[in-house]
Amino acid sequence: MAGSDTASTVTGEVNPPGDGEPIHEDAETEEFDPIGTLALIMTYFAILVIAWVYVYFIEFLSRDLTVIG
Amino acid sequence: MSAELEAEPTFVDKFPEEARIIRAAMWGSFLALTLGAIFGIIQTLHRTGIARPFSSVDYYTFLTAHGVFLVISFTIFFLVGLFTWAVVRSLDRPLLNTKITWTWYGMMAAGMTMTGVSILAGFTARIDMSADVLFTFYAPLQAHPLFYTGLVVFVVGTWVAGADWFRTWLAWREENPGERIPLQTFMVLTTMIMWYIATLAIATSILVFLLPWSLGLIESVNPTLTRTLFWFFGHPVVYFWLMPAYMLWYTVLPKIAGGRLFSDPLARVVFVLFLLLSTPVGIHHQYLDPGIAEGFKFISMTNTMFLLLPSLITAFTVVASVEYGARRRGGTGIFGWLRALPWRNPAFTGMMLAGLMFAAGGFSGMINAGLNINYMIHNTIWVPGHFHLTVGTAVALTFMAATYWLWPQLTNRPLYSPQIGLAQVVLWFVGMALMTNAMHSQGLLGVPRRTAEPEYAGFDYPMAFGGFEELNLQIAIGGTILFVSTVLFIANIVITSWSPKASGLARPLPPALSGPEDAPKVLDNLRLWVGIALVLVVLAYALPLAGIISNSGVFGTGAGTYPVWIDATTALAERVLAAITTAATLLVDAITGVSSL
Amino acid sequence: MHVHAYEKLWLALAIVLILLLIGSVTYGAVGPGIAMVADSQDPVDPQALDEDDRFAEPRVEQVGEDEYAAYVEAYQFGFDPDPIVVPEHSTVTFYVTSPDVIHGFQVVGTNANTMVVPGEVAAITVEVTEPQVYGVVCNEYCGSAHHAMEGTFEVVSDEEYEEWLEENQDGDDTEDGAADENGEEGEDA
Ligand code: HEM
Ligand SMILES: [Cu+2]
Ligand SMILES: [Cu+2]
């Protein structure tokens, strides 16, 4: 195994590809913008909000026998 | 790949003794998984009424065994193996003294054997011993003393394990003055601090109350107090299961995707947040408890909701790290990059599906955590639906997937069949989707959890979501698929023991895009975090505990004792103890023997 | 510490989500007025319930105009009284305790749900409307026959309620008679 994941020893290491599969070596490093991640996570956010509003305000609040005291 | 890479030594080449211990821990974990899956399928078929070969009284013995073996034994044995690997790998130095390591391993194995025997003895009337108290062991239901004793021995074993990793880190620090704590070690240390704080409560509950009470030394206990101490421990324990999975998502998954961790500093922030916030929230399991004031419940809810934050950050960071990998593999587009990922790799697909299910489990968890909406689902089968998504998939499936990646590096043997591995993780996902979806729906109908026969004589459930019977069928099909998936996993790993050894199995981990030099130094100040964590715990628990004790006293208002076991004669007890000691030794021998395969 | 702009955006949204959740729950408490079961009741000695006014005789009692109190004992393995009968369009407070181990008390498929802990008294108030028969289950494992622990909660029309009272009014004995059917062990424990 390579030594430490984050300590200094790894600086010279060539990025090993994901478990032996081909890789585009020139990929940008610093100014990587995770736009796909943003899109996915916004979708998740929308699902969460809609599902919560539905389950809380419709499913739960319209049920029988709400505890009021 | 290149010859140099081929020559790269694997973990077992560099640290053979540590690898042996890790394998032993993981075999213990897989044994528990096997038993748990057998009990799981029995329960599934029983409670859905598909097949009831055992009596409904035995159902609760199975359920206790399923709960304890899976969430105590399977998860924690895997954790100690994984953490040992992570510490040794990221510090790149051996453990200080493997005798200590074998000692804690032996304690954990012996403790779990004691507890396990006390549960399984419930199946035979020949031994006056049982522990059908489920994994929450709420007093005044009482288990055999051996049940509690085993738990204590097990927990003390984990304490020694933590000390082992701390000492190894301290030694490393002396050799590497001024260096940042490597990320994986940082994750291990923060998780263990959380564990020390959490287990204090369970140790108190058992040593001060439950064990003396089961031995007849004290007459009664305060059921609300022991319940509260249980949940003081019980919420952080869910993060104890989850943190190893997070560690794998942060440090291993990006690498398998062909990328690297997006941000090391944020990963540290997340683990610190878990350390601080995971304990002062346990009262959210007691929203419907009569003995606790509403204000404390509200505070617990606010803390709980803020505990969503580190998980939401994790979702972003991990997905971004994977996306980085996909882009390097030539992926393009807003969603198109997803196609560029290594979906044929069972380790990758398993972890991604586990993460997806965790996103769903996150939603049902929000419902559970919502103070008043909890009325709707409390103690219905919605709750097992929720935690089979979280611990039962996010954690369990990640562990299985990670095993496919890690096992070859611990044995120098390539996985017997990656194809079967891929089928296995997909089956788990499908089975769990069916089972948990139906469990959530049944929960909304009001079907209770922990019940051998959830069909009742005096009333029918309302018809919705397809109705009770149809949902039962879904649960049964899902449970059966899950059982098959577990068998495939275990078989794959066992058969791998006979694979010929190979070289070139090392899989080094790349550093993060934004490395630790970017992380504020204060993050590594563990003392500070311990201090704040303790203050938060005191703030959250001092008043509720004082309230419980002033309401009904340290030992309660005179609750009775309801042993689910019958008192054994001394002679019999001695025979049983002797048998257990032998069994424990045999088990430890067997596991150490197997682990050298 | 460098945090990507997208991630900052996500952090902000995450906080919005958390506030939405806490806000909804708070709305539920002040809008529809949902209250949590809490430690409002005095503790009891679970092994001496027959000495406690509330539970010596588990029963439904009229405590005001259209207001009823149901004193319920959840024991291994049943509920007393069973059935719990109240008239339509009334406000019912369940006071539930246990003489033995921890139980649950849920009116099936509704939000009326609480833990029942020996030594504590759970109090929850609900409003009932039209006549309907509900199931009641114990939803916390309480021992080997836990799955047999069920009952009913019956909301009946005013006329039926009168009839029911007549039939069950021959002094206190009938109540005890009903309890006998369900097994007396709960009270003796
Ligand atoms: C073969 C796969 C599995 C099947 C078929 C299965 C099935 C079930 C079922 C049907 C129940 C509900 C019993 C009830 O409340 O009456 C249950 C409970 C439970 N399961 Fe699983 N399960 C599986 C895997 C897992 C895994 C991997 C974990 C955790 C790592 C887990 C943890 C639990 C826990 C903690 C309970 C609750 C026990 C209790 O209420 O005391 N299960 N399981
Ligand atoms: Cu929790
Ligand atoms: Cu019960």
Side-chain angles (χ1 to χ4, degrees):
Chain A
M1 301 294 301
S4 48
D5 44 354
T6 54
S8 57
T9 48
V10 275
T11 29
E13 185 180 321
V14 198
N15 296 328
D19 285 10
E21 301 189 33
I23 223 77
H24 286 239
E25 216 21 271
D26 55 336
E28 72 292 1
T29 1
E30 263 318 312
E31 69 282 24
F32 161 63
D33 284 327
I35 184 72
T37 302
L38 186 67
L40 279 181
I41 210 132
M42 291 306 238
T43 315
Y44 181 51
F45 181 77
I47 294 174
L48 282 182
V49 170
I50 293 168
W52 169 267
V53 168
Y54 173 75
V55 177
Y56 193 93
F57 292 95
I58 310 218
E59 187 71 37
F60 170 58
L61 287 185
S62 68
R63 282 193 159 218
D64 238 1
L65 303 190
T66 289
V67 177
I68 51 164
Chain B
M1 290 309 298
S2 67
E4 308 141 67
L5 258 183
E6 213 113 70
E8 176 109 39
T10 56
F11 185 88
V12 58
D13 294 334
K14 289 178 81 174
F15 305 106
E17 183 62 10
E18 281 78 2
R20 212 161 91 86
I21 296 170
I22 296 167
R23 288 197 307 267
M26 292 193 172
W27 279 120
S29 167
F30 301 153
L31 174 65
L33 177 64
T34 311
L35 294 172
I38 295 171
F39 303 144
I41 181 80
I42 293 174
Q43 280 156 221
T44 305
L45 299 178
H46 191 107
R47 69 166 283 145
T48 55
I50 306 278
R52 291 185 172 160
F54 301 94
S55 87
S56 286
V57 174
D58 283 340
Y59 182 85
Y60 303 106
T61 313
F62 285 117
L63 190 56
T64 307
H66 180 78
V68 170
F69 286 172
L70 284 171
V71 296
I72 308 289
S73 199
F74 162 60
T75 48
I76 299 182
F77 270 107
F78 194 92
L79 176 145
V80 294
L82 188 77
F83 277 13
T84 303
W85 166 77
V87 166
V88 171
R89 191 207 73 82
S90 66
L91 298 179
D92 200 19
R93 89 181 297 298
L95 296 169
L96 276 187
N97 179 351
T98 46
K99 282 211 189 81
I100 296 182
T101 314
W102 283 113
T103 308
W104 59 250
Y105 175 74
M107 290 176 78
M108 288 177 63
M112 203 54 233
T113 309
M114 288 156 85
T115 299
V117 165
S118 75
I119 298 170
L120 297 178
F123 285 122
T124 159
R126 292 236 294 278
I127 314 172
D128 281 342
M129 182 193 284
S130 86
D132 299 346
V133 290
L134 307 190
F135 81 100
T136 44
F137 49 93
Y138 296 143
L141 284 176
Q142 190 185 63
H144 191 277
L146 193 65
F147 175 85
Y148 305 112
T149 311
L151 287 181
V152 170
V153 174
F154 179 84
V155 167
V156 174
T158 64
W159 290 350
V160 180
D164 197 11
W165 301 323
F166 265 95
R167 275 167 35 108
T168 303
W169 164 63
L170 288 174
W172 173 89
R173 197 171 63 168
E174 221 140 82
E175 299 151 4
N176 300 271
E179 294 252 11
R180 297 306 294 263
I181 308 176
L183 182 60
Q184 284 188 327
T185 300
F186 183 84
M187 291 170 163
V188 169
L189 299 183
T190 43
T191 305
M192 288 315 290
I193 296 172
M194 178 190 87
W195 179 246
Y196 282 118
I197 297 176
T199 43
L200 282 181
I202 202 71
T204 309
S205 177
I206 294 183
L207 292 176
V208 178
F209 299 109
L210 300 175
L211 185 57
W213 172 61
S214 71
L215 291 168
L217 301 177
I218 56 176
E219 199 156 309
S220 70
V221 299
N222 179 337
T224 302
L225 181 58
T226 46
R227 217 173 119 76
T228 307
L229 290 173
F230 180 85
W231 285 115
F232 178 115
F233 153 84
H235 190 79
V237 79
V238 314
Y239 288 101
F240 196 56
W241 305 326
L242 200 58
M243 289 305 97
Y246 272 30
M247 170 196 276
L248 290 162
W249 295 353
Y250 272 110
T251 62
V252 175
L253 179 61
K255 140 85 190 184
I256 305 179
R260 46 171 68 190
L261 176 58
F262 190 52
S263 167
D264 166 301
L266 270 180
R268 288 177 202 250
V269 169
V270 162
F271 274 72
V272 167
L273 284 176
F274 279 121
L275 162 59
L276 298 184
L277 286 177
S278 62
T279 312
V281 296
I283 289 177
H284 67 210
H285 294 262
Q286 299 176 279
Y287 285 156
L288 301 196
D289 268 32
I292 298 176
E294 181 160 6
F296 299 139
K297 294 177 179 171
F298 191 86
I299 293 172
S300 173
M301 174 188 70
T302 345
N303 291 348
T304 305
M305 293 303 187
F306 277 97
L307 196 44
L308 282 172
L309 207 57
S311 282
L312 293 170
I313 300 177
T314 299
F316 190 97
T317 311
V318 170
V319 176
S321 314
V322 170
E323 181 183 352
Y324 179 68
R327 304 272 177 216
R328 291 179 70 210
R329 303 164 70 94
T332 52
I334 295 267
F335 295 113
W337 55 275
L338 286 166
R339 274 192 310 243
L341 289 166
W343 294 109
R344 297 199 165 277
N345 181 335
F348 177 79
T349 302
M351 287 198 217
M352 291 298 277
L353 293 177
L356 184 60
M357 286 222 138
F358 193 57
F363 175 69
S364 57
M366 289 172 195
I367 305 286
N368 302 344
L371 181 58
N372 41 33
I373 196 175
N374 186 266
Y375 274 125
M376 181 170 76
I377 45 75
H378 182 81
N379 271 353
T380 69
I381 193 146
W382 164 291
V383 177
H386 162 74
F387 61 65
H388 281 91
L389 288 175
T390 53
V391 65
T393 300
V395 175
L397 185 54
T398 298
F399 286 0
M400 291 187 268
T403 305
Y404 293 141
W405 179 82
L406 187 58
W407 201 249
Q409 308 179 49
L410 296 172
T411 55
N412 275 344
R413 296 178 199 276
L415 183 66
Y416 167 67
S417 167
Q419 290 78 13
I420 294 179
L422 187 60
Q424 185 266 321
V425 298
V426 172
L427 279 178
W428 189 276
F429 181 82
V430 172
M432 207 47 109
L434 278 169
M435 184 171 94
T436 57
N437 178 55
M439 282 175 160
H440 281 99
S441 305
Q442 276 197 346
L444 292 177
L445 302 184
V447 179
R449 67 183 286 201
R450 297 183 149 179
T451 295
E453 300 172 14
E455 69 281 358
Y456 290 88
F459 64 89
D460 288 321
Y461 294 105
M463 276 298 288
F465 315 107
F468 177 65
E469 290 299 341
E470 192 192 318
L471 292 168
N472 269 342
L473 202 60
Q474 269 185 50
I475 294 179
I477 296 172
T480 309
I481 298 178
L482 283 168
F483 179 75
V484 172
S485 172
T486 316
V487 171
L488 291 180
F489 170 74
I490 298 290
N492 211 347
I493 298 301
V494 169
I495 297 175
T496 298
S497 304
W498 286 280
S499 293
K501 293 214 176 195
S503 63
L505 296 174
R507 294 287 180 268
L509 297 178
L513 261 182
S514 156
E517 60 294 338
D518 217 13
K521 275 244 160 39
V522 62
L523 283 174
D524 285 10
N525 187 344
L526 297 179
R527 281 202 185 144
L528 174 70
W529 303 126
V530 176
I532 301 182
L534 287 173
V535 169
L536 289 177
V537 166
V538 171
L539 285 180
Y541 269 103
L543 291 177
L545 286 174
I548 291 167
I549 291 172
S550 77
N551 273 352
S552 40
V554 176
F555 297 103
T557 51
T561 298
Y562 298 84
V564 292
W565 54 287
I566 314 139
D567 221 316
T569 63
T570 338
L572 189 64
E574 267 166 19
R575 275 221 309 278
V576 170
L577 273 176
I580 288 156
T581 330
T582 328
T585 337
L586 281 177
L587 184 83
V588 173
D589 286 348
I591 289 174
T592 25
V594 168
S595 70
S596 48
L597 277 173
Chain C
M1 190 165 103
H2 165 81
V3 179
H4 194 281
Y6 295 169
E7 186 136 23
K8 283 188 188 142
L9 171 65
W10 173 238
L11 266 171
L13 283 179
I15 298 210
V16 169
L17 178 71
I18 291 171
L19 294 178
L20 169 73
L21 303 185
I22 298 179
S24 311
V25 169
T26 312
Y27 165 77
V30 297
I34 306 169
M36 298 312 294
V37 57
D39 61 349
S40 56
Q41 305 294 309
D42 286 336
V44 285
D45 178 348
Q47 305 205 65
L49 291 184
D50 44 358
E51 291 161 23
D52 186 279
D53 318 333
R54 294 164 293 179
F55 297 101
E57 244 176 69
R59 65 196 178 278
V60 175
E61 195 175 279
Q62 182 159 17
V63 291
E65 198 190 340
D66 294 332
E67 282 182 32
Y68 294 81
Y71 297 99
V72 181
E73 197 177 299
Y75 61 91
Q76 282 175 325
F77 296 95
F79 297 97
D80 181 17
D82 179 31
I84 302 167
V85 181
V86 299
E88 59 187 328
H89 299 289
S90 58
T91 303
V92 185
T93 303
F94 297 100
Y95 297 90
V96 197
T97 195
S98 159
D100 41 56
V101 302
I102 294 182
H103 298 278
F105 174 91
Q106 180 171 23
V107 182
V108 176
T110 74
N111 292 333
N113 188 357
T114 181
M115 298 300 300
V116 183
V117 181
E120 315 280 352
V121 178
I124 51 175
T125 302
V126 301
E127 279 167 347
V128 300
T129 51
E130 303 303 319
Q132 185 174 350
V133 176
Y134 296 94
V136 174
V137 291
C138 169
N139 62 14
E140 182 56 87
Y141 167 70
C142 58
S144 56
H146 162 60
H147 46 274
M149 187 166 166
E150 61 169 309
T152 53
F153 171 50
E154 302 182 2
V155 181
V156 298
S157 66
D158 289 328
E159 304 84 73
E160 275 178 283
Y161 190 66
E162 290 304 320
E163 276 170 38
W164 190 85
L165 279 185
E166 305 257 298
E167 278 169 33
N168 294 273
Q169 206 76 67
D170 315 331
D172 298 330
D173 299 347
T174 331
E175 275 292 353
D176 284 349
D180 274 337
E181 261 171 57
N182 298 315
E184 193 73 85
E185 64 271 52
E187 270 150 78
D188 298 337

